[in-house]
Amino acid sequence: MDQSVAIQETLVEGEYCVIAVQGVLCKGDSRQSRLLGLVRYRLENDVQEHALFLYTHRRMAITGDDVALDQIVPLSKDFMLEEVSPDGELYILGSDVTVQLTTAELRLVFQLPFGSHTRTFLQEVARACPGFDPETRDPEFLWLCRHRCAESEAESPKPREWNSDPGTRSGFAPIGGGRYQSWNARRGLEDVLPRGPGYILLWGGATKEPEFLLAEEVHEGGPVRGPRARGGRRDEALEEADWEMSAGGGSRERDCAGGYNVDSSRPNGRGLLPLDQSSGARCPDKPENSLTRQNRSKAEITDMVRSSTITVSDKAHILSMQKFGLRDTMVRSHLLQKEGEYTYIQNFRFFVGTYNVNGQSPKECLRPWLSSDTKAPDVYCVGFQELDLSKEAFFFHDTPKEEEWFKAVSESLHPDAKYAKVKLIRLVGIMLLLYVKQEHAAYISEVEAETVGTGIMGRMGNKGGVAIRFQLHNTSICVVNSHLAAHTEEYERRNQDYRDICSRMQFSQVDPSLPPLTISKHDVILWLGDLNYRIEELDVEKVKKLVEEKAFHTLYAHDQLKIQVAAKTVFEGFTEGEITFQPTYKYDTGSDNWDTSEKCRAPAWCDRVLWRGKNISQLSYQSHMSLKTSDHKPVSSVFEIGVRVVNEELYRKTLEEIVRSLDKMENANIPSVTLSKREFCFENVKYMQLQTATFTIHNGQVPCEFEFINKPDEETYCKQWLTAKPSRGFLLPDSHVEIELELFVNKATATKLNSGKDTIEDILVLHLHRGKDYFLSVTGNYLPSCFGSPIHTLCYMREPILDLPLKIVNELTLMTVQTADDRSQLEKPMEIPKELWMMVDYLYRNAVQQEDLFQQPGLRPEFEHIRDCLDTGMIDHLCANNHSVAEALLLFLESLPEPVICYSAYHSCLECSGSHTASKQVISTLPTFHKNVFSYLMAFLQELLKNSAKNHLDENILASIFGSLLLRSPAGHRKLDMAEKKKAQEFIHHFLCNPL
Amino acid sequence: MAKKTYDLLFKLLLIGDSGVGKTCVLFRFSDDAFNTTFISTIEIDFKIKTVELQGKKIKLQIWDTAGQERFHTITTSYYRGAMGIMLVYDITNGKSFENISKWLRNIDQHANEDVERMLLRNKCDMDHKRVVPKGKGEQIAREHRIRFFETSAKANINIEKAFLTLPEDILRKTPVKEPNSENVDISSGGGVTGWKSKCC
């Protein structure tokens, strides 16, 4: 579940919680819930740094008040987050993902919930890891300093994994974790700021300092969430717009901190100039703060973070990469496809103005230019060029003119409406201002601004363009103000400047994974500015004469822009309205007279407005001769632009439909199979007799991976006597696989089944990867057998085992060998198991002279027959090959849960294997029944040896066969080494050579 | 700040005796359909549905479990990680009601401590065959402070409401209220009342 919203509230401007996941921090036996937030911080030069913020939290965190910062782990180069298989824990159905976080200083283990969200989280973290490219700069994590204090405040003192020297901390003011604190911090900052331009609501009329108060008001009232909420679809984007418009202090602070709105206003020299260009107002916080921050702690912190420059494996980067944003992308593309269904076109009035002010300060009211229209425009796009021609403006990018002209414009907006400033962007002398009517503010989103310098060296800001892109309702709009290269003959240069601006102007997207937007990717483009195209091939006087005659059509033929556009070398796809005003350049300042200076420039239509896009109609295109401040005249154009507006109800409906269809698709994509059979009954299962059952898994339409998985607290997916073949596999759509269930009871499982401790009953869980789990039940009954029964148990069974009630068999099997000796209340036991006698007697009667007895394999069907005869007592029917009976005898001895020579006596037997007397001594300590069986077998073997001439047996052969059967290591068969084996043979050997 | 198609993912679980209608309840909610033939669920199945609550898009992953007793030990291992559990009984089947306390114990033992529970008294369209009086159902819900709904997958009564209320309750669990005002009865409207479980 994503709780990043809560985390975001604890962060300061510039930090962004990319994703959060709730997990369990495992320390030894303790399990504590933690929220893990991946936080991104964007520095200058587009460099990003990341850290994992770990929070304690109250239940499911929804607001910032629910979480408390516990620890920060920076994603330094030695950071690694990898999936591990839990130590010694069994895999549990749909179990959590265990991940281990390691850095040079610490190692933490988390359990994250099973599912795609965790996958996304891991993927994001992997992406955020700084990588191991030695070329890249090591992250410094200066920005984390401010959290140090909050972190240490949040919890009682305990060793910090991030062991910053407390001495270095004191330098940083605590920035609160809760929303309230940071809110206050923001407001506090605003209070000390000089009243800057922007972020203000303005009345059209000139009012004395209304701005600050209004800004306050907006703050108090909180952001206008109500009306602009649109099913959450654009909230986040709007949030940003909101910031721009109402939270002045905040936006400035963010810029100062180098926040995520990075460089929207920075000129070409990336990070060269430390001042914030967009607001123009000097940010008091920035220089001082960032400097002290760097001076004081950079070294220490860098040392701290990079305390070990170790090379690590690339593991964090190979965490399983699944496709995630798929659903998001699909919703988005569906919404786009169906845009027509839930939007309608509504006309908005746009005022577009351009004015080259020749470095002058505002000297006259701008209303004749900005408010000459009877109707108040909905949107104002006002561009200036040559705002400041001073060196200071060029080199330090600082100019008081910005504020002056901003104020002048703000005061001259149409008096019939209230406007909100959306954005101000400036590159040296090129400035663009965007205002909207207050009531439209809530529908402005995704505001981004960028600059491109094309001046000196092709990069500097004396020429170039600035642009603001935004979304008005559902229409994307880009406004560009450019000042292209000067001089009549330089039209090629101007064309190039245009192309440079188009290619280099890139706006970062709301979704960082998407490529940046360019100017051409907008529904509506409005391009204004001093484009500097001149009237060519006519001498000055001729031009002036034609102007006087208002022979504009004749002049058009010589207008470079018209010529170049017609030649499709520039402004392709753009339209310009008919020019019905005289050239706007060049006049003697303060007059309407053509330039009388030495250069005596020919008049030209330098200042132009062009557009591209659908549903745009130009209502007016004019110059304003009454303004005399500059050597240019301002130009304005009013447009009626059809904007796509969302019908909330239809939008909701469309979204609902899309979500439903995606849900349906997602459900259809859950792997699903059909099983031909799910209940398996194995009747009358006998010892060492294989029973099989098969079923088929038919796959549906989704490729799937299947596997039989362990049930809780079990180590295998089924009981020991069962196997499924294959137990895992992969199925293509519509394919099938046959699974064979094999049931086979051997000596390892027979005793438990005889005793009733185990039954032929099991449930298998067939798990489909990312899908359902199917249960298969296995039932049946086991027919008890003398095989696998203890010696003493068989001695107490006077009846064949299958003639006894199951309950008695169970009881007798559970009886221990110690109690067996004094069970006087029971029927008198036999001295040895009758089954043993039956087999030995059979061999004694038929096989004493059999060649290679015990050395040739028996026949399997005959074994089953022998087993049945023994278990039913039908010994008279026993008719089998001698070798089969001999093998059955060996199997019988092997299947005894407690060997003839008890496990407890095993070691003493080996110790005294050198001495016959001592060996006899050990035998005498065995329980009665075991002792009896041992003597009986030895007597039989000695009998066989008497016929060694015929049967070719000798002591050594028999000792080697019976040594390992009668003497079994309690440690298990496999561990029997040669020395032990030899001693066991030696031990048996005594009893074969010596009289009993 | 990518726009997400959902803000939260809630894992819900349906439990209760075999034959009480868990699968039908889920089928009604996910596909708005009903199937009269009874096929005993002998598996763990889940469906996805995205809903919007309090302005948040919530993806519900609803797990349907096998009700048969022989699978109980296995199904309890699916409780872990569930944020909400719907406990279903059949008003025409007394045994399924008697087992409710057993199921509740199961939840206590195996589910997350703060899991949100809800009781569904299913098959309420068959009032003529009712053997579990309303009062008894209300009593057990009150005792355990669980919200309940009378539902019918067949007649489509309260299914949607139940599935929207449970995640809402999960959302609401975040302590936004003052500690001493937590213990408030909340009537859910629509003629059905329930109790909000205490917030700790």
Side-chain angles (χ1 to χ4, degrees):
Chain A
M1 174 192 0
D2 178 22
Q3 299 174 71
S4 59
V5 189
I7 292 183
Q8 188 64 53
E9 288 183 17
T10 71
L11 301 176
V12 296
E13 267 71 40
E15 296 167 3
Y16 169 53
C17 179
V18 182
I19 186 168
V21 68
Q22 184 178 334
V24 178
L25 172 64
C26 311
K27 276 187 190 164
D29 284 334
S30 99
R31 297 279 181 278
Q32 289 178 14
S33 187
R34 285 285 185 282
L35 269 186
L36 289 79
L38 174 65
V39 176
R40 180 179 71 209
Y41 186 81
R42 210 177 268 181
L43 303 158
E44 288 165 354
N45 301 333
D46 262 337
V47 175
Q48 300 180 356
E49 292 182 352
H50 291 82
L52 268 189
F53 282 44
L54 310 181
Y55 293 84
T56 55
H57 63 105
R58 291 190 277 180
R59 296 185 181 254
M60 199 172 47
I62 285 179
T63 74
D65 298 333
D66 302 332
V67 299
L69 186 59
D70 175 47
Q71 192 172 345
I72 298 178
V73 186
L75 267 67
S76 52
K77 282 200 173 182
D78 55 19
F79 176 94
M80 195 156 66
L81 186 66
E82 50 182 343
E83 231 177 302
V84 291
S85 42
D87 266 357
E89 268 179 53
L90 308 174
Y91 177 78
I92 296 170
L93 309 171
S95 70
D96 293 348
V97 180
T98 307
V99 294
Q100 181 176 299
L101 184 165
T102 34
T103 70
E105 292 91 8
L106 79 162
R107 204 185 77 143
L108 299 172
V109 174
F110 290 95
Q111 280 175 355
L112 305 181
F114 172 80
S116 67
H117 186 74
T118 293
R119 291 271 144 243
T120 319
F121 177 81
L122 294 176
Q123 196 196 31
E124 288 288 345
V125 172
R127 261 207 283 179
C129 281
F132 308 106
D133 182 0
E135 295 296 311
T136 57
R137 194 179 61 93
D138 282 5
E140 291 171 336
F141 301 110
L142 298 172
W143 55 285
L144 289 177
C145 305
R146 64 184 111 195
H147 288 287
R148 297 281 145 249
C149 307
E151 194 188 351
S152 51
E153 274 169 8
E155 275 208 79
S156 52
K158 66 170 191 182
R160 278 273 90 82
E161 263 85 356
W162 165 288
N163 39 14
S164 72
D165 176 5
T168 63
R169 260 186 237 154
S170 54
F172 315 111
I175 295 196
R179 172 204 264 170
Y180 181 72
Q181 282 168 301
S182 49
W183 188 254
N184 265 356
R186 237 179 259 146
R187 290 198 42 196
L189 184 62
E190 187 183 64
D191 286 341
V192 300
L193 282 174
R195 181 170 49 81
Y199 343 108
I200 315 164
L201 296 174
L202 293 156
W203 281 282
T207 326
K208 277 261 170 186
E209 301 197 341
E211 301 93 336
F212 192 67
L213 281 172
L214 267 168
E216 270 292 280
E217 223 171 87
V218 171
H219 261 242
E220 296 295 347
V224 269
R225 276 168 196 278
R228 59 144 215 257
R230 183 181 298 161
R233 191 175 60 102
R234 293 168 61 176
D235 281 6
E236 287 162 346
L238 279 163
E239 192 104 40
E240 274 194 70
D242 202 48
W243 270 118
E244 287 300 333
M245 287 181 290
S246 60
S251 108
R252 199 164 6 214
E253 183 184 303
R254 181 199 301 169
D255 283 348
C256 294
Y260 59 84
N261 203 358
V262 229
D263 272 349
S264 59
S265 53
R266 212 165 290 284
N268 41 26
R270 293 211 161 248
L272 187 73
L273 304 165
L275 292 180
D276 181 0
Q277 301 307 327
S278 76
S279 66
R282 188 182 275 275
C283 168
D285 176 40
K286 183 172 179 165
E288 181 201 323
N289 235 22
S290 56
L291 279 176
T292 39
R293 227 177 254 158
Q294 295 204 349
N295 288 346
R296 268 194 215 158
S297 53
K298 186 172 176 176
E300 289 136 281
I301 291 170
T302 319
D303 281 354
M304 200 156 66
V305 176
R306 302 196 319 214
S307 53
S308 55
T309 32
I310 47 163
T311 330
V312 280
S313 69
D314 209 5
K315 267 185 190 162
H317 292 255
I318 13 176
L319 282 173
S320 38
M321 297 286 178
Q322 258 174 275
K323 188 69 199 150
F324 295 108
L326 188 63
R327 198 182 161 104
D328 291 353
T329 315
M330 286 172 82
V331 169
R332 231 177 290 165
S333 81
H334 275 102
L335 274 175
L336 208 62
Q337 249 173 39
K338 299 185 172 188
E339 198 182 36
E341 290 178 20
Y342 59 88
T343 58
Y344 58 93
I345 301 286
Q346 186 184 319
N347 283 328
F348 283 74
R349 214 176 173 87
F350 278 62
F351 175 95
V352 179
T354 176
Y355 194 7
N356 181 321
V357 296
N358 193 26
Q360 305 297 312
S361 290
K363 291 178 186 125
E364 48 199 350
C365 178
L366 300 178
R367 281 218 194 166
W369 172 39
L370 298 171
S371 310
S372 62
D373 204 2
T374 48
K375 276 176 85 178
D378 296 293
V379 180
Y380 266 106
C381 316
V382 184
F384 292 96
Q385 303 83 33
E386 297 191 3
L387 199 72
D388 192 334
L389 295 168
S390 68
K391 284 193 206 81
E392 290 76 17
F394 181 68
F395 287 113
F396 304 111
H397 226 89
D398 189 17
T399 173
K401 300 274 171 51
E402 175 180 304
E403 167 113 39
E404 290 169 15
W405 282 103
F406 168 68
K407 203 159 169 262
V409 172
S410 300
E411 285 167 359
S412 303
L413 298 177
H414 207 286
D416 293 350
K418 279 186 191 173
Y419 290 95
K421 189 206 104 177
V422 177
K423 189 82 193 170
L424 181 156
I425 177 97
R426 185 173 63 81
L427 169 68
V428 190
I430 312 166
M431 179 164 91
L432 180 60
L433 279 160
L434 180 68
Y435 301 84
V436 295
K437 263 191 190 168
Q438 198 186 336
E439 64 259 40
H440 302 317
Y443 303 100
I444 298 274
S445 62
E446 296 172 34
V447 181
E448 291 286 339
E450 282 295 340
T451 66
V452 169
T454 61
I456 300 167
M457 315 282 288
R459 298 274 150 176
M460 298 303 274
N462 57 325
K463 291 287 186 299
V466 299
I468 300 170
R469 64 91 47 211
F470 60 99
Q471 188 97 3
L472 174 58
H473 289 277
N474 249 32
T475 297
S476 63
I477 299 171
C478 185
V479 186
V480 188
N481 172 17
S482 69
H483 189 189
L484 306 183
H487 305 299
T488 313
E489 64 284 2
E490 292 284 359
Y491 64 87
E492 297 269 19
R493 177 78 240 160
R494 288 188 272 282
N495 295 351
Q496 186 56 43
D497 285 354
Y498 162 82
R499 287 191 291 269
D500 281 355
I501 291 169
C502 287
S503 64
R504 283 163 50 204
M505 190 75 78
Q506 298 198 324
F507 307 97
S508 62
Q509 295 241 53
V510 179
D511 179 350
S513 67
L514 295 175
L517 278 175
T518 55
I519 295 170
S520 64
K521 296 272 167 61
H522 290 82
D523 299 330
V524 172
I525 305 166
L526 300 170
W527 196 304
L528 57 109
D530 179 356
L531 307 184
N532 250 330
Y533 287 92
R534 307 299 170 91
I535 291 167
E536 60 182 15
E537 289 170 349
L538 292 175
D539 63 50
V540 180
E541 289 314 313
K542 174 81 175 164
V543 173
K544 288 179 180 171
K545 189 163 173 282
L546 287 169
V547 170
E548 209 165 313
E549 291 165 1
K550 294 202 184 298
F552 296 144
H553 278 281
T554 319
L555 282 172
Y556 285 167
H558 299 280
D559 176 59
Q560 286 176 333
L561 183 59
K562 294 273 177 203
I563 296 166
Q564 292 300 314
V565 168
K568 293 188 189 286
T569 53
V570 79
F571 286 105
E572 226 177 311
F574 280 84
T575 316
E576 190 191 15
E578 194 189 340
I579 301 175
T580 55
F581 49 88
Q582 67 181 52
T584 51
Y585 177 78
K586 179 183 183 176
Y587 298 90
D588 284 341
T589 305
S591 75
D592 291 343
N593 305 327
W594 297 118
D595 178 28
T596 55
S597 72
E598 251 174 67
K599 289 178 185 168
C600 194
R601 304 259 190 228
W605 284 300
C606 286
D607 307 285
R608 315 284 277 260
V609 176
L610 295 91
W611 74 89
R612 209 180 95 176
K614 280 183 201 154
N615 300 315
I616 304 174
S617 57
Q618 195 174 40
L619 304 180
S620 73
Y621 190 24
Q622 55 185 316
S623 68
H624 301 271
M625 295 299 286
S626 65
L627 275 79
K628 299 182 171 60
T629 309
S630 167
D631 57 352
H632 285 251
K633 296 293 178 190
V635 167
S636 74
S637 177
V638 176
F639 293 96
E640 197 164 68
I641 298 180
V643 166
R644 289 207 166 273
V645 178
V646 171
N647 177 318
E648 289 300 331
E649 201 177 315
L650 291 175
Y651 172 76
R652 219 157 243 292
K653 221 178 111 195
T654 311
L655 184 65
E656 172 91 12
E657 276 168 21
I658 294 170
V659 167
R660 283 299 146 255
S661 74
L662 287 180
D663 279 353
K664 206 171 162 187
M665 222 166 69
E666 202 168 332
N667 279 324
N669 271 302
I670 298 171
S672 172
V673 298
T674 45
L675 306 179
S676 63
K677 201 176 167 194
R678 304 175 72 159
E679 309 263 337
F680 302 89
C681 186
F682 294 92
E683 280 180 336
N684 299 330
V685 176
K686 291 175 176 177
Y687 183 76
M688 275 182 64
Q689 187 165 329
L690 181 72
Q691 285 203 27
T692 60
T694 57
F695 70 98
T696 313
I697 306 178
H698 289 276
N699 193 18
Q701 298 308 309
V702 188
C704 82
E705 213 180 318
F706 69 87
E707 184 186 0
F708 288 99
I709 55 169
N710 301 357
K711 293 180 285 294
D713 309 321
E714 285 182 27
E715 287 172 36
T716 49
Y717 64 85
C718 65
K719 298 264 182 78
Q720 229 184 324
W721 35 260
L722 193 66
T723 34
K725 288 181 182 171
S727 70
R728 58 195 306 169
F730 184 82
L731 279 171
L732 290 169
D734 268 334
S735 65
H736 61 91
V737 65
E738 196 162 88
I739 307 285
E740 194 162 75
L741 295 180
E742 293 184 353
L743 202 164
F744 189 73
V745 177
N746 59 18
K747 61 177 190 278
T749 48
T751 314
K752 275 192 173 173
L753 289 167
N754 276 351
S755 70
K757 274 188 176 171
D758 190 11
T759 49
I760 303 289
E761 241 172 58
D762 200 5
I763 294 168
L764 276 72
V765 182
L766 179 67
H767 173 71
L768 302 187
H769 188 54
R770 286 189 292 142
K772 306 179 178 187
D773 290 347
Y774 296 83
F775 299 154
L776 286 84
S777 6
V778 171
T779 52
N781 67 301
Y782 178 68
L783 297 178
S785 169
C786 60
F787 290 89
S789 293
I791 290 175
H792 60 274
T793 301
L794 293 171
C795 290
Y796 275 102
M797 288 180 184
R798 301 194 72 92
E799 313 280 313
I801 191 165
L802 287 176
D803 289 356
L804 290 169
L806 199 55
K807 211 177 147 232
I808 303 284
V809 175
N810 292 349
E811 262 174 34
L812 289 174
T813 308
L814 287 172
M815 178 171 71
T816 60
V817 67
Q818 284 78 16
T819 55
D821 276 355
D822 47 44
R823 294 285 289 259
S824 47
Q825 73 274 30
L826 285 170
E827 208 178 341
K828 194 173 174 301
M830 295 175 296
E831 291 185 349
I832 58 164
K834 58 191 177 309
E835 294 82 2
L836 177 67
W837 173 82
M838 287 173 190
M839 286 184 282
V840 169
D841 182 59
Y842 185 92
L843 291 172
Y844 181 71
R845 281 188 284 113
N846 303 305
V848 282
Q849 298 191 347
Q850 175 71 50
E851 215 174 303
D852 297 333
L853 196 66
F854 294 121
Q855 293 171 88
Q856 280 202 16
L859 302 166
R860 174 150 291 264
E862 286 197 344
F863 166 75
E864 287 169 6
H865 167 69
I866 296 163
R867 177 201 57 209
D868 292 348
C869 288
L870 295 177
D871 290 340
T872 53
M874 309 276 217
I875 193 62
D876 305 339
H877 294 77
L878 184 60
C879 170
N881 183 299
N882 287 337
H883 294 300
S884 298
V885 180
E887 193 179 2
L889 175 61
L890 299 181
L891 283 171
F892 174 81
L893 295 173
E894 198 189 7
S895 72
L896 289 172
E898 182 84 30
V900 178
I901 293 171
C902 299
Y903 286 125
S904 55
Y906 177 74
H907 289 292
S908 15
C909 286
L910 295 191
E911 277 161 27
C912 60
S913 60
S915 147
H916 180 223
T917 332
S919 301
K920 272 179 32 182
Q921 182 58 37
V922 177
I923 293 300
S924 69
T925 64
L926 293 178
T928 321
F929 301 114
H930 286 251
K931 207 161 41 191
N932 294 346
V933 168
F934 185 77
S935 308
Y936 180 70
L937 281 172
M938 289 305 120
F940 168 60
L941 295 182
Q942 286 195 6
E943 199 61 37
L944 287 177
L945 286 172
K946 285 178 190 163
N947 295 283
S948 59
K950 289 276 172 57
N951 58 27
H952 302 144
L953 290 170
D954 61 33
E955 293 88 348
N956 289 332
I957 295 174
L958 289 178
S960 103
I961 294 171
F962 284 88
S964 55
L965 285 174
L966 304 182
L967 271 161
R968 297 206 306 250
S969 164
H973 300 275
R974 258 171 276 165
K975 296 207 170 173
L976 196 69
D977 62 25
M978 284 312 289
E980 283 191 17
K981 205 170 173 184
K982 207 149 181 250
K983 280 186 177 174
Q985 286 174 24
E986 219 178 303
F987 181 87
I988 299 298
H989 201 271
H990 293 300
F991 297 92
L992 296 175
C993 312
N994 298 301
L996 288 168
Chain B
M1 234 182 269
K3 293 173 192 169
K4 298 186 186 72
T5 16
Y6 62 88
D7 307 312
L8 299 166
L9 173 69
F10 286 176
K11 181 179 164 186
L12 309 180
L13 198 67
L14 282 159
I15 61 170
D17 275 12
S18 179
V20 297
K22 297 180 292 297
T23 306
C24 288
V25 164
L26 178 54
F27 191 49
R28 170 61 76 189
F29 180 61
S30 68
D31 292 64
D32 194 25
F34 183 77
N35 196 337
T36 43
T37 51
F38 172 65
I39 305 161
S40 185
T41 305
I42 37 177
E43 62 214 15
I44 299 285
D45 194 0
F46 67 89
K47 294 241 189 259
I48 298 288
K49 187 158 176 172
T50 321
V51 297
E52 192 174 321
L53 288 172
Q54 300 170 14
K56 289 188 165 60
K57 278 175 283 296
I58 298 170
K59 187 168 177 176
L60 303 178
Q61 190 184 54
I62 310 156
W63 295 72
D64 181 22
T65 62
Q68 289 177 40
E69 189 147 8
R70 57 190 169 130
F71 300 125
H72 284 185
T73 45
I74 302 178
T75 51
T76 52
S77 67
Y78 293 84
Y79 288 22
R80 209 166 59 101
M83 296 156 174
I85 294 183
M86 280 187 176
L87 178 42
V88 190
Y89 74 85
D90 172 0
I91 59 156
T92 69
N93 176 343
K95 183 85 183 135
S96 76
F97 174 72
E98 284 160 31
N99 280 332
I100 286 297
S101 22
K102 199 188 73 187
W103 286 109
L104 284 168
R105 270 200 309 279
N106 261 342
I107 295 175
D108 286 344
Q109 280 168 20
H110 300 284
N112 293 358
E113 204 182 316
D114 58 348
V115 69
E116 189 67 35
R117 299 166 301 171
M118 176 177 275
L119 191 63
L120 297 191
R121 313 184 327 200
N122 199 31
K123 307 196 186 177
C124 70
D125 56 298
M126 302 211 282
D127 204 41
H128 54 289
K129 287 190 182 165
R130 181 191 288 271
V131 295
V132 185
K134 281 188 180 180
K136 276 176 86 176
E138 278 162 31
Q139 192 190 338
I140 198 158
R142 200 178 294 122
E143 273 168 18
H144 292 90
R145 313 198 66 85
I146 319 176
R147 192 196 286 281
F148 65 85
F149 284 102
E150 290 242 318
T151 57
S152 163
K154 190 177 178 182
N156 197 6
I157 300 169
N158 277 334
I159 299 292
E160 177 106 0
K161 189 169 212 163
F163 274 105
L164 294 182
T165 308
L166 187 57
E168 237 171 31
D169 287 348
I170 297 171
L171 266 183
R172 199 179 294 123
K173 277 205 148 174
T174 329
V176 277
K177 288 174 275 180
E178 290 300 312
N180 50 5
S181 67
E182 277 168 10
N183 197 356
V184 183
D185 281 4
I186 294 163
S187 81
S188 55
V192 187
T193 51
W195 287 266
K196 174 81 191 78
S197 69
K198 201 181 170 190
C199 232
C200 329

